[in-house]
Amino acid sequence: MTHMAHEFDRFEDVRAALADPALVPGLPVAAEPARLRTASLREAAAVAPGGEARARAVRTPPETLGMQHSAGVAEAGTVVAEAGFRGEDPAAGEAVARSVRRRAAPAREEPGPASEAGCRESGPAGEAALRTSARVSEEAAPAAAAGRIGLLGRASETEAVRVGPASAGDRDRPPAGVMCRVAVRPTRVAGREIAEGDVVLLSLAPADLVDPVPLTLGTRPVLCAGRAHALAPAGGLPRHHPPTPFARLHRRGAPLLLPNAWDYASAAALAAEGFAAVGTTSLGVAAAAGLPDGAAATAAATLALARRLGKGRFLFTVDAEGGFSDDAAKVAELARALYAAGAAGINLEDGRPDGALAPMELHAAKIAAVKRAVPALFVNARTDTHWEAARHENETATRLALYEQSGADGVFVPGLSDPDAIAALTSTVLVPLNILYSPAGPTLPELAALGVGRVSLGSLLYRTALAAAVAAATGLRDGRPAELAAPSYAEVQALAPAEGPHDAA
């Protein structure tokens, strides 16, 4: 019987083929599918009970592609790849997390009934976790434990890509340029009949160009408990651009305290006090202009402020609401203008003025468009799932995962103040977590201990300044002079940047 090869490169068709249970993975396919014999692909997917065909495909000798793997990596690769084939299955990530939790266990600890039950629940990934955990416990040495955890977590060079956020460069050069599937029974994709035994080749790079989150290895990166450990051997995130000075300020355990200014003088005064960077507050900018905040009414005022701040000698990031548009291309155009003005970062939120949230795919598209247009601009992706009227807490992890995978350099959850919830996010997300400071919430040292990478003051300083101005005026009027340590006229004058030839023009 003659078998045919079918090729697809449209995003919708690729996604449909990847979700079709009748199509199982053939051998891992690199960018040159011609190197693989179709007979080998069909042999790898030969008739076998249940999901065994998928496992056999992974176990097929890697020499076919000229790859060199140890037996241990091949074994772990089978387990994690099997979890990956089932879609966004947390089994592999949980296996890594379980190994980490057990790394300091007493030597020769035997798994108890609870562990065995967990193994039965999570299938082959759980069994591998227990075997790896036992070896880790026996060896006891931290270096050996780290090696075992890294082995299980990454499973091969590809696991770091599967669990890590996608970078802009993945669109043009995904680690697996083509994914292969073999039909174990007749099916239909994009109106095309696929016969049993036919080979289906899925070109990822063309498909990825229309979607904000690249498919990379045939599935979107997975948000799972073990991602940080899976990526640890690779030294962190696989980025195509070195971190900027502003990005380097975001450190777990030593978060960037970001005060937010509303004009040049407030920004310059904060910078003069030694703050490493300054943000803007959309409320302050809008209120100063007599406009509502969050209504996409301050695009011109925001850009004008950025151009004024760009005259100073300090790092600054701009609160741009939702980008002032639902057109990703226009948001990217704004980002270019802000970067040209001197901005080191941009804050993009998914909240709407009516308390609703923008579709997460739309917000992800904005983030991806900005990172493609200005890779060096730090994108802080904000979700308003915990903010005032929105209250969609159950969507937080999903939204952060998508935004992170779309290229966000940091994620921001204003309104989140519960320490346990913050710790849960810092243990899961890979990019710095930004928290809005609240006088009623954790202190700065407590947020640092929770692993937060950035703490913003938001509109707090602007509101405090308004209150101070009103208190001073009413106090004088009512015979209650306020004791305020105000800067002198000369000191405020000195905040203005020195005018150069460019400014004079």
Side-chain angles (χ1 to χ4, degrees):
M1 179 179 179
T2 301
H3 296 288
M4 296 183 62
H6 309 265
E7 297 187 19
F8 298 95
D9 61 6
R10 293 180 63 250
F11 179 80
E12 296 81 3
D13 299 342
V14 171
R15 287 298 300 272
L18 290 170
D20 192 334
L23 301 175
V24 304
L27 288 175
V29 181
E32 308 92 335
R35 294 173 57 191
L36 303 175
R37 297 185 302 112
T38 54
S40 298
L41 296 173
R42 286 194 292 275
E43 290 169 4
V47 178
E52 178 64 16
R54 301 174 186 270
R56 290 186 61 185
V58 179
R59 287 200 302 266
T60 301
E63 288 78 17
T64 308
L65 286 174
M67 300 166 62
Q68 298 297 323
H69 286 283
S70 69
V73 171
E75 177 186 356
T78 301
V79 174
V80 181
E82 170 66 12
F85 293 155
R86 292 195 297 270
E88 296 194 0
D89 189 324
E94 290 296 339
V96 180
R98 195 176 301 114
S99 293
V100 172
R101 288 194 294 268
R102 293 172 58 90
R103 72 185 187 276
R108 294 178 175 80
E109 177 185 355
E110 295 297 329
S115 297
E116 293 172 359
C119 173
R120 288 194 295 271
E121 290 174 4
S122 57
E127 294 171 6
L130 292 180
R131 291 197 303 270
T132 302
S133 297
R135 289 195 292 266
V136 170
S137 298
E138 290 169 3
E139 292 171 3
R148 292 292 186 183
I149 292 165
L151 175 66
L152 177 62
R154 291 186 69 195
S156 68
E157 290 299 321
T158 61
E159 176 62 1
V161 179
R162 193 179 76 85
V163 301
S167 61
D170 291 334
R171 298 177 177 279
D172 301 321
R173 49 182 185 277
V178 178
M179 298 297 291
C180 179
R181 295 293 185 266
V182 178
V184 293
R185 60 178 180 272
T187 188
R188 187 183 182 91
V189 176
R192 192 182 305 179
E193 297 293 338
I194 310 293
E196 180 178 348
D198 281 2
V199 175
V200 176
L201 299 176
L202 309 173
S203 298
L204 300 187
D208 283 343
L209 294 177
V210 300
D211 193 75
V213 183
L215 291 171
T216 58
L217 295 172
T219 181
R220 291 182 174 184
V222 180
L223 184 66
C224 60
R227 291 190 310 155
H229 307 291
L231 285 167
L237 298 181
R239 295 294 190 186
H240 291 277
H241 301 279
T244 63
F246 181 66
R248 288 196 291 269
L249 295 174
H250 298 71
R251 299 186 298 273
R252 292 176 186 255
L256 167 67
L257 178 60
L258 187 76
N260 298 78
W262 54 94
D263 58 15
Y264 183 88
S266 57
L270 290 166
E273 288 300 317
F275 287 95
V278 176
T280 66
T281 163
S282 62
L283 175 64
V285 173
L291 297 169
D293 182 31
T298 58
T302 298
L303 182 55
L305 175 57
R307 287 170 174 157
R308 288 193 292 273
L309 296 182
K311 297 178 182 180
R313 296 184 178 181
F314 48 82
L315 294 172
F316 69 93
T317 181
V318 176
D319 183 348
E321 298 184 5
F324 307 113
S325 175
D326 279 344
D327 184 333
K330 291 183 178 179
V331 177
E333 183 179 346
L334 170 69
R336 287 193 192 93
L338 292 174
Y339 184 72
I346 184 173
N347 194 81
L348 293 174
E349 64 193 49
D350 60 11
R352 302 286 203 189
D354 61 359
L357 298 180
M360 62 182 77
E361 294 79 7
L362 170 62
H363 202 59
K366 294 180 184 181
I367 295 165
V370 169
K371 291 306 294 185
R372 286 196 299 270
V374 198
L377 189 67
F378 188 101
V379 176
N380 198 42
R382 166 176 159 172
T383 184
D384 285 350
T385 53
H386 285 72
W387 191 240
E388 296 181 352
R391 311 305 297 181
H392 298 284
E393 292 96 332
N394 60 324
E395 295 183 19
T396 303
T398 302
R399 285 179 175 268
L400 293 188
L402 186 60
Y403 302 162
E404 182 184 71
Q405 294 157 9
S406 301
D409 301 285
V411 290
F412 184 20
V413 190
L416 178 62
S417 59
D418 177 67
D420 290 339
I422 293 173
L425 286 182
T426 57
S427 67
T428 304
V429 298
L430 296 174
V431 297
L433 176 65
N434 184 187
I435 293 295
L436 180 67
Y437 172 77
S438 169
T443 64
L444 185 60
E446 289 171 340
L447 290 171
L450 290 171
V452 171
R454 171 164 148 184
V455 179
S456 298
L457 298 185
S459 62
L460 177 62
L461 300 183
Y462 179 73
R463 291 182 285 112
T464 301
L466 283 180
V470 172
T474 57
L476 289 170
R477 181 195 64 189
D478 301 336
R480 295 178 287 100
E483 296 183 2
L484 296 177
S488 69
Y489 180 90
E491 288 172 331
V492 175
Q493 278 280 73
L495 294 174
E499 186 175 281
H502 176 73
D503 303 316

